[in-house]
Structures are given as structure tokens and as C-alpha cells.
Amino acid sequence: MSNIVAIVGRPNVGKSTFFNRLIQRREAIVDAVSGVTRDRHYGKSDWNGKEFSLIDTGGYVLGSDDVFEAEIDKQVELAIDEADAIIFMVDVESGVTGMDEDVAKLLRKVNKPVFLVINKVDNGKRAEDAVEFYSLGLGEYYTIASINGSGTGELLDALVEALPEKEEVEEETLPRFAVVGRPNAGKSSFINALIGEDRYIVTDIAGTTRDSIDTKYNRFGFEFNLVDTAGIRRKSKVKEDLEFYSVMRSVRAIEHSDVCLLVLDATRGFDGQVQNIFWLAERNRKGIVVLVNKWDLVEKDHKSMKDFEKTIRKQMEPFTDVPIVFISALTKQRIFKAIETAVEVYKNRTKKIKTSQLNDVLLPIIENYPPPAYKAKFVKIKYIMQLPTPQPQFAFFCNLPQYVKDAYKRFLENKLREHFDFNGVPISVYMRKK
């Protein structure tokens, strides 16, 4: 499980520019996901072979001093609580502000690596001006210019060196199914209905689950660990932002799961926050099952389910090969169908295709539909194999891998899905030099 690094600071210091530059320059990054509240972003990065999740806490709501202080207390303390390291970004152009001092006051109490990063330092004069930030009491600082990437390498070298080593998780024989979703979607109610007892706190108030809890499930021939990841802990000095906190908790839970059961409220639909968590799971290459809960509350006719599913798949594009199950945790409608589907997705994710079978099926298709020629050069794919990874990854060996475009890779992925059933599972396709 990778570390979490949070970027904090006041508005307009360049946090999002730094975040975007970082994820664009890392080959291992899958992409960023924009949050729906205050322009937050979530992504994965790696530097020198060390992977970590990156969270940009976004801008704060501007208004009175009281409103701003509330936002600092809320978001920075939440980030501090969940992150393994914190990047505190300030702006050399405006110098030390009262807002910076408020954040620094919180960070001085933290027993975690804190990196003071001074942005917009793109010449010698500004490098001299940066000295005043010693007054924040956070020790040494790093100067960067996020607009052009200057100084980023030195910062990331220090960051990955300071990140705590994650203990290797012992290989578990039981798969882990994480129940994720936005607050008050019915995650705990679903688990209670499934295990037949009120193991969890269930109310109509969003965020009543105190922490992520594992339950070993062993009924009707299924055995796995079930995790409720609502994960909203009441902390005495934290004014909670439930959506922000639920996503931060979901980052850890998703990374340490095999299949994510994404529970959404049918009365709210596949909204921005649900999409945010969906793409977190997809970019972590986890199996996904979408559970449309509270289906009993929706007025419907004979076409409602089909139309609802069509709308969801449109918002999932391009990854639409995902099972969608309509359930009601209250009436227990289709809850066991949801588990059967999750088990099938887990089997798909751990499926291994014989090399001979891959080549026998796909090489004739590739021969009939080869990659388009590029600059009068023809790409010839000679050999295919599945890589020995926890999730499905395939290497296509050819003479000119650099000329194979994303559109053709999607064609290959679609053929893999068509012939080998990877429903609910992200697939990675790599072109390699033969």
C-alpha cells in the first residue's frame, strides 16, 4: 500500500499547477481525478521507483477571516490526520501572510515529514526573498517554480526518502472486498443486510461510521474479507468535511483491496463524488462492481433500470465493461446477487490466460486488423503474453512499439475483453520491443 502525500496552503500559491506538472511528468501516473468540492484533485505518482498517492486539498472558500480559519482548521487537520507527509506551499511573490502563519502553526505540531515549498522562485532575486519564510518556524525550505518545474526534482528526492516504509502486507488467502461510496449512500446498511446483524452503526446521518472495519464473510459458499470504508472518525478538534474525509479514507481502502463495491444512492445518481471514487478504483487497477442502492425508493417503469444503467455507462466512458447491480439494502433485494457478481469480478481479476491461447486467438485478429502505418513504417506484432502481475496486464511484442497509438491499444483491449471476459476489471496493454 502506497503512502499519501497531501499538498496544503492558502489559495493562489500554485498548488494545482504543481500537482498537474507532477502527474504529467511521471510515466507511472495513470491520471488525476478532479474532485467536486473546492477543486480538489487526487492522483498517483511515483519518483525513483517509489509510489505514492497525491492529494491537492484545493483552494479555500474566500470570505471573512472566520470563514477562512474554519477552512484551514478543517481541511489542513484532515490532511494532516490521513497523510504520511505534507507539502506546505507558499508564494514568494506575496511573502509571508497571516494565512500562511495559521497553517504553519498547525504544521509545527505535526510528527510527520513537512516540506515547506516556496513557489514562483524563478530567478536569483526571488531566491533571496525566500529567506523570510524561515520565520514560519518549519526549518529548511525548497524553492521551486511549478510553472516550469524548476527545483521539483530536489524536492521529490527528499520527499520519497522521508516517506515511511510501508510494511509488506502478508499475502492473504482471502480476497478483500471494499465497500466504498459517498457518505450516506447505504454502505453500512448493505453490510448489515448481508451479514444479518447490526455489526455497524447505521443511521440516516452521513458519516456515522467511525472507522474502516473488516468483517470475515463466510456464507453460501463465499469466503472473503468485507470492509466498510465510510471511515468517518469524529475528532474533537476537527470540523469535518465528510466528502473530503471519505475520499481520503477511500484512497487507503481502495489501494488495499481486490474488488471495490461502489455503492451509490439511486435518488442521487452517479454524481461527481461517486465518479471521483470510481476513477480512484479504476486508476488503482481494482475490480469494480457498481451497486445502485435504494432502488426501492425510485419511481420506475419497465424501462427505468435500462435507462438508468445507460446513463451510468455514459458517465463511465471509456471504461464501461463494469457490472451494475440494482439493490435495496433495506429490503435485501439482490444483495446476494451483488456478492456473486463481486466474486466473479475477483476471479476475472486473478485470471491467467495461457500464452499459447492468447497468441492463437489474437494474432489472427491482429493480422487482419494491423496497427495503422506511421510515416510509411509498418508495425508487426509478433508475440503476446500476460505479465505476472496481480491484475491483468498484457505485453504485445512488436518491431516499432513507439508507433502504436492509444486508439489501437484500446482496440486490443476490447478484443481481450471480447474473448476472455474481464468484466469489471481494468486491463493494461503495453507495447514492447521484440
Side-chain angles (χ1 to χ4, degrees):
M1 191 162 60
S2 63
N3 293 280
I4 293 180
V5 177
I7 308 172
V8 302
R10 61 182 177 79
N12 303 319
V13 296
K15 297 188 302 297
S16 294
T17 304
F18 171 72
F19 175 91
N20 291 335
R21 169 164 291 277
L22 182 58
I23 66 163
Q24 287 168 2
R25 62 186 294 163
R26 303 273 63 75
E27 279 190 6
I29 298 303
V30 183
D31 204 353
V33 186
S34 293
V36 295
T37 310
R38 303 183 189 91
D39 196 30
R40 299 185 185 111
H41 297 84
Y42 311 88
K44 286 187 77 69
S45 181
D46 108 7
W47 184 262
N48 293 341
K50 193 161 187 176
E51 195 174 75
F52 55 92
S53 294
L54 197 65
I55 297 177
D56 169 16
T57 55
Y60 299 114
V61 178
L62 295 178
S64 69
D65 289 341
D66 289 341
V67 170
F68 185 80
E69 285 180 12
E71 287 300 315
I72 289 178
D73 289 347
K74 185 161 50 179
Q75 293 197 26
V76 176
E77 288 200 27
L78 289 175
I80 289 169
D81 185 54
E82 286 300 310
D84 297 293
I86 298 104
I87 292 174
F88 173 29
M89 187 166 286
V90 294
D91 178 358
V92 72
E93 289 184 348
S94 55
V96 177
T97 68
M99 297 175 182
D100 294 331
E101 290 172 347
D102 287 337
V103 179
K105 184 178 179 181
L106 291 170
L107 294 177
R108 284 197 296 269
K109 304 172 186 176
V110 176
N111 190 25
K112 294 179 181 180
V114 175
F115 296 85
L116 175 59
V117 177
I118 306 172
N119 194 20
K120 306 180 185 178
V121 180
D122 52 9
N123 59 50
K125 175 66 171 63
R126 289 186 171 181
E128 292 176 6
D129 293 341
V131 174
E132 73 167 298
F133 286 92
Y134 274 121
S135 66
L136 293 176
L138 293 172
E140 295 298 322
Y141 57 77
Y142 295 83
T143 57
I144 68 165
S146 59
I147 196 71
N148 60 27
S150 172
T152 304
E154 292 83 352
L155 168 62
L156 291 176
D157 284 343
L159 174 67
V160 297
E161 188 172 337
L163 288 175
E165 288 295 329
K166 291 290 183 180
E167 293 183 11
E168 288 296 321
V169 178
E170 292 184 13
E171 196 67 28
E172 293 185 5
T173 56
L174 293 181
R176 288 176 60 88
F177 293 175
V179 182
V180 297
R182 64 174 300 149
N184 209 25
K187 299 181 293 296
S188 296
S189 298
F190 169 71
I191 293 181
N192 287 343
L194 197 61
I195 64 179
E197 63 185 65
D198 290 337
R199 166 73 180 274
Y200 298 92
I201 301 168
V202 183
T203 73
D204 292 332
I205 302 171
T208 54
T209 303
R210 298 311 198 247
D211 209 344
S212 298
I213 310 171
D214 283 20
T215 296
K216 185 171 286 188
Y217 183 91
N218 187 359
R219 295 174 69 184
F220 309 111
F222 302 126
E223 188 172 10
F224 50 84
N225 283 322
L226 197 61
V227 187
D228 179 356
T229 57
I232 307 300
R233 290 180 297 183
R234 303 286 181 187
K235 295 186 74 68
S236 59
K237 295 184 180 179
V238 176
K239 304 173 185 67
E240 287 153 321
D241 181 323
L242 296 182
E243 290 187 345
F244 181 38
Y245 206 14
S246 68
V247 172
M248 293 196 75
R249 300 294 294 173
S250 294
V251 170
R252 290 196 188 279
I254 287 170
E255 287 181 344
H256 195 41
S257 67
D258 298 300
V259 177
C260 295
L261 298 167
L262 175 56
V263 181
L264 65 91
D265 185 336
T267 63
R268 303 187 65 160
F270 198 67
D271 61 16
Q273 184 72 5
V274 178
Q275 291 176 43
N276 190 14
I277 297 174
F278 174 82
W279 289 114
L280 277 172
E282 190 275 339
R283 283 163 170 77
N284 277 277
R285 321 313 279 170
K286 305 300 182 180
I288 303 173
V289 179
V290 174
L291 305 182
V292 182
N293 190 28
K294 306 183 185 180
W295 189 239
D296 55 312
L297 301 181
V298 176
E299 289 188 16
K300 43 193 173 289
D301 55 31
H302 66 287
K303 296 198 305 179
S304 297
M305 188 178 291
K306 188 174 182 180
D307 291 344
F308 201 100
E309 181 175 333
K310 185 178 179 181
T311 300
I312 292 176
R313 294 199 186 283
K314 179 68 177 175
Q315 293 168 308
M316 286 178 175
E317 290 179 347
F319 180 40
T320 58
D321 189 18
V322 177
I324 300 173
V325 184
F326 292 80
I327 69 168
S328 169
L330 184 64
T331 66
K332 300 190 177 182
Q333 181 184 28
R334 300 191 193 91
I335 61 172
F336 296 108
K337 173 66 175 175
I339 292 303
E340 288 177 4
T341 306
V343 171
E344 287 302 314
V345 169
Y346 174 75
K347 290 177 180 176
N348 291 343
R349 188 172 185 266
T350 55
K351 182 185 298 182
K352 302 298 179 186
I353 311 297
K354 291 181 179 179
T355 301
S356 58
Q357 189 179 4
L358 274 173
N359 286 273
D360 289 345
V361 171
L362 293 179
L363 285 181
I365 296 172
I366 292 169
E367 189 174 342
N368 289 329
Y369 301 95
Y374 183 75
K375 295 182 179 180
K377 294 183 179 180
F378 294 90
V379 179
K380 294 183 179 180
I381 297 175
K382 304 285 189 181
Y383 181 74
I384 310 152
M385 67 174 290
Q386 184 174 358
L387 300 176
T389 53
Q391 63 278 349
Q393 297 184 347
F394 297 88
F396 289 75
F397 294 89
C398 58
N399 58 334
L400 299 166
Q402 68 273 26
Y403 293 149
V404 179
K405 304 301 180 185
D406 287 342
Y408 193 77
K409 291 179 183 178
R410 284 194 293 273
F411 167 77
L412 295 175
E413 178 183 334
N414 290 337
K415 292 302 172 185
L416 283 164
R417 294 186 181 280
E418 182 181 322
H419 290 278
F420 300 109
D421 185 15
F422 286 104
N423 184 229
V425 183
I427 294 176
S428 301
V429 170
Y430 301 101
M431 310 306 297
R432 293 289 182 262
K433 180 76 174 176
K434 174 65 176 174

